[in-house]
Structures are given as C-alpha cells and as structure tokens.
C-alpha cells in the first residue's frame, strides 16, 4: 500500500475511519514559517461532517493535534506530524458490510487487494474521512503559497443537472475566490444555491445520492513552473486529484471541449501589456507543455454520487458466495461535492508547492 506522495514536499497519510485516529506526516516544509492555526482550523471545518443536512450526520470536530515539527508557532524544518482523533464512530452499522460488498465502494476491490485483512468499518482507509489530513496539508501549503502571491479557490460547478457559471479563465480575481470561501455552498451564481440544495434534498429523502463537478482556480503562478512529461503540472495535480475518493475525472481549461475546436479557435494568442505577457484566451487552463504559462490555472473534477445509498441493491456475500440484496444503514453524505471543494483546493496547493520547490 502506498500512503506516500511527492518528492520535495512528501506526504504520508494514515488511519482508518473507525480506528483511533487519522493523520499525516509532511516532510520538506521550510523552517521558520509562522503558521496561522486559526486559518488551518477554519479550512478543516469547511470539510468536517455534520454541518448540515447535505452532509453525513457523523459529527466530528476534525480538530488537528500537532505532534511534531512546529515549535512556538513556527515550523522547525523537521517532519510535521498531525493526528485527528476519531470520536463519533458507530461501527455496528458496518457489521454486515464485512461480507456484503457495497456496489460502487471500495469494499470488494480492497478485500481482494488486501486478502480480507483491511479494516472495513466505515470504509477503513478508503474512507472520504482520510481527506481531512489532506486538507490540513493543503491549508499549510496555501499559507506558504500566499507568501508568494498565489491564491487558490474553488466552486461547485454542478450538482446533478444544475450548473453554475464557469470561472472567467482570463480574469479570476482574488476577491471572487475570497467571496466563495465565505459561502456555505460556494457557487458563483447565487440564484443556483437553492436549486442545488433542493437537488440534494430530493435524493436524500429517497435514500439516494448525487454527484457533480468542482472547478478550481490557482491565480498568481508565474510562467515557468513545472516540467514536461512525467513531472508536468497536470500530472502532479491529477495524481493528487485521483487520490481523492470519488473523483472520476479531471479536465484542465476547456478540457474535453477543446477536442472539438480547430487550432485557430483553441490557441491562446499572446499579447504584451505594460511589459507583461498575457493571453487573449485561456483554453489550456494556464498550463502548456506541463509548465505554467502565467495565466490562471483552472481545472474541473468530476465527483461521483456517494456509493452508500439506502435503496436496495444487488450484491454478493463473499463468505457464502451467494447473491444477496443490500440496504445500507449508517450515516452517509447524500452528496460529496460540497464537502470535497476544500479538498480539491488543498490538492492544488500541495501540487503547486511541490512544483515550485522542485
Ligand atoms: C469528503 C468525502 C466524503 C465521502 N463520504 C462518503 C460517504 O458518506 N459514504 C460513501 O459511501 N462514500 C463516501 N465517499 C466516497 C468513497 O470514499 C469512495 O467512493 C470510495 O472510497 C471508492 O473510491 P472511488 O469512488 O474513488 O472509486 C466520500 C468521499 C469524500 C472525498
């Protein structure tokens, strides 16, 4: 099992949903950086469960406990380790899931991969809960990037068929990103907020779930960050995005739509303004040749509907090798999208910091 990512900024995550604690070890953070813990905790709260009807009713404060690497409020340069203790676990909800494999979840694949020794309670190490340590690392990375004038923000770009506007890829202001941060449901178009809430409530009442997309923007990255081929900025971001449970797709800039264009339509033509090089359009999402080109970096991820639903489904019992019906109990998110927004921002921050340090 690889719980480790990165070269210059190395992350190692650990823990299970219903174990004692979850956490992270972060290597490569420079010494002497003054950390704003309040800001980190606010970021963790954005992901924490139990805040409203749109998320699981499991109530966890997600309070980070720093074990090492920070002394008198500043980084020491030694590995930073942090844990979050699990408190609100109800493992009995999961007893039948030892044998009955949830369709769409990692139960069956994980059981095969680890010979049945994996902790299945609450999804174990496959749980969305393990994204809390990622948010911690991302919140730290965001603070280090802000020092360099780099800002990151994201919004819900769709839930089911309800769509928000997209970012204006050539001009994304810091104030828009700040504004989105303050919203319970971060959508650019306020009129869509109620529609999204209704969409989630509709499926929740039926014991069903729904997916959507999140669009993320990284502004203030100068041209020239990243590398071609294997270390491209796209691959760094994508490798972290696909480490987030429930992410099933990613596209940069115009993404799949660019394939329907001609070169003349797709190319982002350059111009000079006050000695600065800019582009008239940003269909490539701020990255060309795997390297930042100075335009805002934008990408969208697709999040699938929460696999654990309480509607009856067909599955198998891996002990008896019989076909069975499954009705999932327990507390689950009817929609993952709104809780994943801060996770998608976090992985952007980690990837950019790693690219800058490389
Ligand atoms: C923030 C977050 C919350 C999640 N909450 C749930 C949940 O309540 N119930 C569930 O079945 N899956 C939940 N998931 C998704 C599963 O962890 C994920 O679908 C599963 O591990 C299978 O991985 P895959 O979807 O990447 O293939 C959540 C994911 C994230 C990122």
């Amino acid at each position: 099992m690889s719980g480790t990512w990165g070269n210059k900024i190395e992350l190692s995550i650990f823990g299970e949903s219903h174990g004692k604690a979850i956490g992270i070890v972060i290597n490569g953070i420079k010494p002497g950086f003054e950390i704003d813990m309040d800001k980190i905790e606010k970021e963790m709260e954005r992901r924490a469960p139990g805040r409203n009807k749109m998320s699981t009713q499991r109530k966890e404060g997600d309070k980070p406990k720093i074990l090492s690497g920070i002394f008198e409020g500043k980084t020491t340069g030694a590995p930073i380790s942090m844990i979050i203790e699990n408190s609100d676990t109800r493992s009995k909800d999961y007893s039948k899931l030892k044998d009955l494999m949830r369709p769409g979840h990692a139960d069956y694949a994980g059981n095969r991969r680890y010979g049945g020794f994996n902790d299945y309670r609450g999804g174990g190490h496959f749980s969305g809960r393990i994204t809390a340590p990622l948010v911690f690392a991302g919140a730290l990375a965001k603070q280090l990037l802000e020092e360099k004038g780099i800002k990151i923000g994201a919004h819900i770009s769709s839930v089911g068929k309800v769509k928000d506007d997209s970012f204006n890829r050539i001009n994304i202001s810091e104030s828009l990103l700040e504004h989105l941060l303050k919203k319970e449901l971060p959508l650019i178009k306020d009129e869509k907020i109620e529609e999204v809430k209704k969409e989630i409530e509709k499926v929740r009442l039926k014991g069903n779930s729904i997916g959507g997309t999140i669009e993320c923007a990284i502004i203030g990255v100068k041209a020239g960050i990243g590398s071609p081929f294997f270390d491209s900025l796209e691959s760094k971001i994508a490798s972290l995005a696909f480490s987030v449970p429930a992410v099933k797709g990613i596209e940069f800039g115009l993404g799949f739509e660019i394939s329907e264009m001609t070169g003349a339509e797709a190319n982002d033509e350059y111009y000079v303004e006050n000695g600065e090089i800019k582009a008239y359009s940003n269909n490539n999402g701020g990255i060309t040749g795997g390297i930042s080109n100075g335009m805002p970096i934008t990408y969208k991820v697709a999040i699938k509907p929460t696999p654990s639903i309480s509607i009856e489904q067909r599955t198998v019992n891996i002990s008896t090798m019989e076909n069975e019906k499954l009705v999932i109990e327990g507390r689950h998110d009817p929609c993952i999208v709104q809780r994943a927004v801060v996770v998608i921002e976090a992985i952007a921050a980690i990837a950019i910091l790693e690219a800058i340090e490389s």
Side-chain angles (χ1 to χ4, degrees):
M1 179 183 288
S2 173
T4 304
W5 181 92
N7 294 314
K8 297 286 177 200
I9 305 292
E10 195 192 71
L11 311 177
S12 194
I13 50 169
F14 59 88
E16 285 91 18
S17 180
H18 288 201
K20 234 179 149 48
I22 55 174
I24 193 162
V25 179
I26 311 167
N27 273 292
I29 301 293
K30 66 174 185 181
F33 183 73
E34 191 162 348
I35 292 184
D36 184 337
M37 272 313 287
D38 286 347
K39 250 181 158 176
I40 291 195
E41 285 184 19
K42 277 207 183 93
E43 288 281 283
M44 310 280 295
E45 277 163 29
R46 289 175 66 207
R47 196 214 69 94
R51 292 194 306 157
N52 53 43
K53 278 200 289 190
M54 288 175 291
S55 88
T56 163
Q57 289 310 294
R58 178 173 176 173
K59 289 202 167 52
E60 297 272 20
D62 281 0
K63 200 144 175 70
K65 229 189 209 178
I66 311 274
L67 302 183
S68 69
I70 298 175
F71 178 58
E72 295 178 337
K74 291 193 177 131
T75 53
T76 62
I80 296 174
S81 58
M82 181 282 302
I83 58 163
I84 302 163
E85 273 153 340
N86 292 325
S87 54
D88 189 13
T89 54
R90 276 212 234 143
S91 302
K92 71 168 176 35
D93 287 345
Y94 286 87
S95 51
K96 68 179 178 191
L97 298 182
K98 184 177 191 316
D99 295 321
L100 296 181
M101 305 289 98
R102 284 174 295 174
H105 212 292
D107 303 347
Y108 177 60
N111 179 284
R112 293 295 94 178
R113 175 74 172 85
Y114 298 110
F117 290 105
N118 53 303
D119 180 353
Y120 58 86
R121 298 165 308 158
H125 191 60
F126 295 97
S127 167
R129 179 148 179 75
I130 315 302
T131 57
L134 278 181
V135 171
F136 173 85
L140 180 62
K142 275 183 187 174
Q143 289 185 25
L144 285 150
L145 292 176
E146 266 170 31
E147 243 193 356
K148 300 177 196 295
I150 297 169
K151 189 102 192 149
I152 294 165
H155 70 110
I156 296 172
S157 52
S158 67
V159 167
K161 298 264 185 292
V162 181
K163 287 194 166 57
D164 193 16
D165 284 348
S166 286
F167 280 128
N168 170 359
R169 283 185 302 276
I170 51 171
N171 182 16
I172 303 169
S173 67
E174 204 174 316
S175 60
L176 172 62
L177 302 185
E178 282 290 339
H179 179 63
L180 287 168
L181 249 182
K182 294 188 186 110
K183 295 183 170 185
E184 181 195 18
L185 275 185
L187 281 106
I188 296 172
K189 263 186 138 169
D190 283 336
E191 315 85 91
K192 296 281 173 179
I193 293 176
E194 273 315 303
E195 270 186 67
V196 165
K197 280 189 178 170
K198 276 192 195 141
E199 199 76 1
I200 298 175
E201 186 60 4
K202 208 166 66 193
V203 295
R204 189 184 74 83
L205 291 172
K206 290 184 184 144
N208 208 345
S209 64
I210 198 162
T213 57
I214 296 168
E215 187 183 29
C216 187
I218 311 164
I219 58 172
V221 180
K222 292 192 178 76
I225 306 291
S227 302
F229 295 101
F230 310 118
D231 263 341
S232 70
L233 266 188
E234 288 118 317
S235 29
K236 276 196 198 312
I237 295 171
S239 78
L240 280 172
F242 284 123
S243 309
V244 176
V247 168
K248 286 291 160 187
I250 186 163
E251 57 178 26
F252 290 85
L254 258 193
F256 278 72
E257 244 183 279
I258 208 166
S259 63
E260 294 166 13
M261 293 174 141
T262 63
E265 288 162 341
N267 289 344
D268 299 317
E269 294 176 282
Y270 294 111
Y271 68 97
V272 178
E273 189 179 68
N274 304 324
E276 247 187 90
I277 295 176
K278 293 185 179 170
Y280 289 105
S281 58
N282 186 15
N283 299 326
N284 287 280
I287 304 173
T288 32
I291 300 169
S292 62
N293 60 26
M295 295 301 284
I297 295 170
T298 70
Y299 65 94
K300 262 187 198 169
V301 296
I303 309 268
K304 75 185 195 184
T306 316
S308 300
I309 53 173
S310 53
I311 292 174
E312 187 178 88
Q313 298 176 88
R314 289 167 297 180
T315 190
V316 291
N317 182 319
I318 52 162
S319 259
T320 62
M321 288 302 278
E322 280 173 0
N323 294 320
E324 283 202 34
K325 297 272 167 60
L326 171 67
V327 174
I328 298 169
E329 287 147 19
R331 300 161 296 175
H332 294 280
D333 293 296
C335 181
I336 293 165
V337 178
Q338 74 283 1
R339 290 188 60 210
V341 170
V342 64
V343 184
I344 297 307
E345 292 173 9
I347 57 126
I350 298 162
I352 297 293
L353 190 63
E354 161 85 5
I356 287 176
E357 300 286 327
S358 297

